[in-house]
Amino acid sequence: MILEAKEKLTSSKKIKEEAVSEVTTPLDFDKLYDETIKRFTEGQIVKGKVVAIWAKEALIDIGYKSEGLLSLEEFQDPSSLKVGDEIEVLFESLEDEQGMVVVSKRKADRLKCWNQILADATEGSVIEGRIFKRVPGGFMVDIGMEAFLPASLVDLKPTKNLDQFIGLVSKFKIVKINPKRRNIVLSRKDYLETEKDALRTKKLSELQQGQVLRGRVKNVTDFGAFIDLGGVDGLLHITDMSWGRIKHPSEILNIGDELNVMVIGYAQDTQRISLGLKQISQDPWNEADKKYTVNSKVKGKVVNILPYGAFVELEKGIEGLVHVSELSWTKRVSHPTEVVNLGDEVEAIVLSLDKNERKIALGIKQLENNPWLQVEDKYPVGSVVNGKVKNITDYGVFVEIEPGIGGLVHISDISWTKRVNHPSDIFKKGDTVTARVLSIDTNAKKISLGLKQLEEDPWKEFTKDIKLGSVLNGKVTKVVNFGVFVELSEGLEGLVHVSEIPEREDIKFPDSFQAGDEMKVKVLRVDDGNRKIALSLKVK
């Protein structure tokens, strides 16, 4: 092939020389030859014409005494090349070992591109190119010439699969130009960031409260989900996802889901966008007062339990609270779980509804008759009842008259005369007792009972023969820090105050007194109203 080309070149030279000799004299031959055969400088871009095309090469006439050969690989589309086409090539040297000029279309294109880049572009300019191969540390990009793209600047986020970028046509930002070495460093990441910022600025400028946008779930957290709105992200808080109760955003959203959301807030200073999903649908509370009228019966599911009550979901977005006091007429409920559990389907009565506060009060006990309404008829004041001791406290004994109905025997109503230090000294749980109904408060659900009221008050009988100043025999029942209690007769006590104890060497209070000691005491006074007797040891 090369030999054939050389033969053509030789033939071409002869034809050119003969043409010149026919129209010139020997005297001006050199001058005319110089004018006909162009002069070239190495590194110069010159125009040429395709004079022959073979399987792998094309013969280019640049107006020199010999032609040049170009590999068809230097053409972007070799199949479109035809004889007679004019092209620009880089004149590299006058002749090679075969006597042909050395030219390069590719180098000419790169030099033109380089010159154009130096003329039109600076560091920071944007240029388009195609990533065509991997090299250590990054990629080579065809921008008309080869430019280097570091792997760290190929995308917004680091990626392990770098091969996916081979063949990618994109725009890049020029981050470094080195004229001496004729190399350029590009960044696709910087370009994408600039575009992202521009898109974000444009998107933010168009935002309006109440606007409905299409977005894609970018990330899901415990408190909500971040939605990509196409260049900008917004937060869809868990409380704005559904009118109903949800425990975690993943119950209704997954990464990659596409959905419509409403712009419910935008802070310009922080550029934070608040989004809502439930706001797209109608608020169920708008019609709540028509659907859930007071005293109507409703059904729902127990969705949350707190110490003070149970929340019942009537429909998505509407819940009512059954307060712990509204669970039972008779049972003393200390925690809602004694009556209901999570997930239970229950019926209730609407007690009240506040549409503005979005609150509904429900009652479960109202589904049954209130037994306290019949208490006054069944157990009128003054009647005698029987019951079992259900609880004992410092201040009295609770007696159950019937299931859920009970009364309190206060410590002061246990005995007319006996001093009771603690009810447990006399009673224990399960004891059966008989008592008299003293009072009933149906609203407060309280019944007062008395044991001593089953008998007549013996005080007057006990004290009728006691005269002031009289000296009586007694027995110590209790020693306290302010004196000594002395029993005068069964069920009748008096107090010797510490001030009424003689100051003698043989009497040291309280060490000189013990329960069971017998002594003589003088009656100072009898207080019938407070049922107290004041005594003294100063007998003489």
Side-chain angles (χ1 to χ4, degrees):
M1 185 75 68
I2 295 175
L3 291 175
E4 182 182 352
K6 290 182 69 176
E7 290 175 358
K8 289 186 177 183
L9 286 172
T10 303
S11 174
S12 176
K13 287 179 182 179
K14 289 180 179 180
I15 292 172
K16 291 177 182 178
E17 290 172 355
E18 289 173 358
V20 171
S21 62
E22 289 178 357
V23 295
T24 61
T25 63
L27 295 176
D28 59 356
F29 177 80
D30 291 338
K31 179 180 178 181
L32 186 58
Y33 185 85
D34 289 342
E35 292 175 354
T36 305
I37 304 301
K38 298 177 182 177
R39 296 190 178 276
F40 298 94
T41 304
E42 291 184 2
Q44 178 184 358
I45 295 177
V46 297
K47 287 185 178 182
K49 181 181 292 187
V50 178
V51 296
I53 301 174
W54 298 298
K56 294 184 179 181
E57 295 167 310
L59 186 66
I60 310 299
D61 179 10
I62 62 171
Y64 191 61
K65 59 184 178 180
S66 60
E67 281 80 6
L69 283 179
L70 275 181
S71 171
L72 293 182
E73 292 181 353
E74 294 205 30
F75 294 89
Q76 189 171 358
D77 183 11
S79 62
S80 65
L81 191 66
K82 59 184 181 296
V83 175
D85 287 349
E86 289 190 351
I87 61 173
E88 288 186 328
V89 293
L90 181 71
F91 187 86
E92 295 193 75
S93 60
L94 295 177
E95 292 182 348
D96 59 10
E97 56 271 16
Q98 285 85 26
M100 305 179 73
V101 294
V102 180
V103 293
S104 171
K105 180 180 182 300
R106 182 176 294 162
K107 290 182 180 180
D109 291 342
R110 290 178 180 175
L111 181 57
K112 286 192 298 180
C113 181
W114 174 254
N115 292 334
Q116 185 177 352
I117 289 173
L118 290 181
D120 300 336
T122 59
E123 293 179 359
S125 298
V126 174
I127 193 168
E128 188 171 310
R130 182 179 67 87
I131 301 175
F132 67 91
K133 70 175 178 180
R134 286 274 305 274
V135 294
F139 306 87
M140 296 309 296
V141 182
D142 182 2
I143 59 172
M145 61 172 290
E146 292 185 356
F148 178 63
L149 172 64
S152 60
L153 300 179
V154 70
D155 204 2
L156 291 172
K157 293 182 179 180
T159 178
K160 293 182 179 179
N161 182 19
L162 295 177
D163 289 337
Q164 64 178 306
F165 297 105
I166 302 298
L168 175 66
V169 176
S170 178
K171 289 184 179 181
F172 306 85
K173 184 174 284 190
I174 299 174
V175 295
K176 184 72 175 176
I177 298 177
N178 190 327
K180 292 183 178 179
R181 296 185 179 181
R182 288 189 179 180
N183 61 27
I184 295 176
V185 179
L186 304 176
S187 172
R188 181 170 175 265
K189 177 181 178 181
D190 289 358
Y191 170 75
L192 294 177
E193 286 179 343
T194 300
E195 288 295 294
K196 183 179 179 182
D197 290 342
L199 182 60
R200 178 179 179 83
T201 301
K202 182 177 182 296
K203 200 78 175 180
L204 291 175
S205 66
E206 297 172 347
L207 281 181
Q208 294 180 2
Q209 193 159 339
Q211 185 179 11
V212 177
L213 301 173
R214 190 71 176 171
R216 182 180 60 83
V217 179
K218 188 175 182 179
N219 192 22
V220 177
T221 67
D222 292 339
F223 57 84
F226 288 95
I227 310 297
D228 181 2
L229 302 174
V232 294
D233 294 344
L235 173 63
L236 175 59
H237 197 270
I238 185 172
T239 56
D240 292 309
M241 290 183 176
S242 171
W243 292 114
R245 182 187 293 268
I246 59 173
K247 293 181 179 179
H248 195 275
S250 59
E251 294 179 23
I252 59 176
L253 293 178
N254 294 298
I255 294 176
D257 287 351
E258 291 190 357
L259 70 168
N260 290 330
V261 288
M262 180 181 289
V263 178
I264 60 176
Y266 170 53
Q268 289 188 346
D269 53 343
T270 59
Q271 293 192 341
R272 289 182 180 177
I273 304 171
S274 298
L275 304 174
L277 180 60
K278 70 181 184 183
Q279 287 80 358
I280 295 178
S281 59
Q282 184 169 344
D283 185 350
W285 276 94
N286 291 342
E287 302 294 326
D289 55 342
K290 297 177 182 178
K291 295 178 65 176
Y292 307 107
T293 56
V294 174
N295 294 325
S296 63
K297 184 188 290 187
V298 294
K299 291 183 179 180
K301 181 180 180 181
V302 178
V303 292
N304 194 24
I305 294 178
L306 296 173
Y308 56 83
F311 287 91
V312 177
E313 184 181 62
L314 305 180
E315 64 176 271
K316 287 295 182 183
I318 295 185
E319 295 178 6
L321 171 65
V322 182
H323 193 269
V324 66
S325 62
E326 304 297 342
L327 289 169
S328 174
W329 288 115
T330 57
K331 187 177 180 181
R332 188 180 295 274
V333 181
S334 58
H335 197 277
T337 51
E338 298 174 18
V339 180
V340 296
N341 295 297
L342 278 176
D344 285 353
E345 297 286 341
V346 298
E347 289 186 335
I349 298 294
V350 177
L351 304 181
S352 66
L353 184 146
D354 189 331
K355 188 175 177 180
N356 294 327
E357 294 293 327
R358 306 170 79 89
K359 291 181 179 180
I360 298 179
L362 303 175
I364 288 180
K365 69 183 184 182
Q366 285 78 7
L367 294 169
E368 303 174 351
N369 291 327
N370 183 358
W372 280 93
L373 297 178
Q374 287 80 44
V375 165
E376 288 183 324
D377 295 331
K378 294 176 67 175
Y379 311 108
V381 174
S383 62
V384 176
V385 296
N386 294 312
K388 287 188 176 182
V389 176
K390 297 293 291 184
N391 195 22
I392 300 173
T393 67
D394 294 340
Y395 54 84
V397 178
F398 286 94
V399 178
E400 185 180 60
I401 302 172
E402 65 175 69
I405 302 293
L408 171 67
V409 180
H410 195 270
I411 189 171
S412 62
D413 290 313
I414 293 177
S415 174
W416 287 113
T417 57
K418 188 174 181 181
R419 180 176 297 277
V420 181
N421 295 319
H422 197 281
S424 60
D425 296 338
I426 302 174
F427 304 100
K428 62 181 183 293
K429 285 186 178 181
D431 285 352
T432 300
V433 298
T434 301
R436 190 177 296 278
V437 178
L438 303 181
S439 65
I440 298 175
D441 186 342
T442 54
N443 292 327
K445 300 180 180 61
K446 292 181 179 180
I447 299 176
S448 295
L449 302 175
L451 297 181
K452 70 182 184 181
Q453 286 81 3
L454 293 171
E455 302 174 350
E456 289 292 331
D457 185 354
W459 178 261
K460 290 184 179 181
E461 184 66 27
F462 284 163
T463 60
K464 67 178 182 178
D465 296 328
I466 296 178
K467 297 179 180 180
L468 299 182
S470 61
V471 177
L472 304 174
N473 292 321
K475 183 185 293 185
V476 175
T477 57
K478 190 175 183 181
V479 180
V480 294
N481 59 1
F482 53 84
V484 179
F485 284 97
V486 178
E487 184 180 48
L488 302 177
S489 62
E490 186 177 356
L492 185 64
E493 279 185 344
L495 172 66
V496 179
H497 193 267
V498 66
S499 61
E500 293 299 326
I501 298 175
E503 294 182 1
R504 299 198 322 236
E505 291 184 2
D506 60 329
I507 300 177
K508 302 293 183 184
F509 179 81
D511 298 334
S512 298
F513 301 92
Q514 293 182 358
D517 290 350
E518 295 184 354
M519 60 180 62
K520 291 183 179 294
V521 293
K522 182 169 67 175
V523 178
L524 296 180
R525 61 183 174 276
V526 178
D527 185 349
D528 292 328
N530 292 313
R531 308 173 67 82
K532 293 180 180 180
I533 300 175
L535 305 174
S536 175
L537 286 181
K538 298 176 182 179
V539 177
K540 295 180 181 180

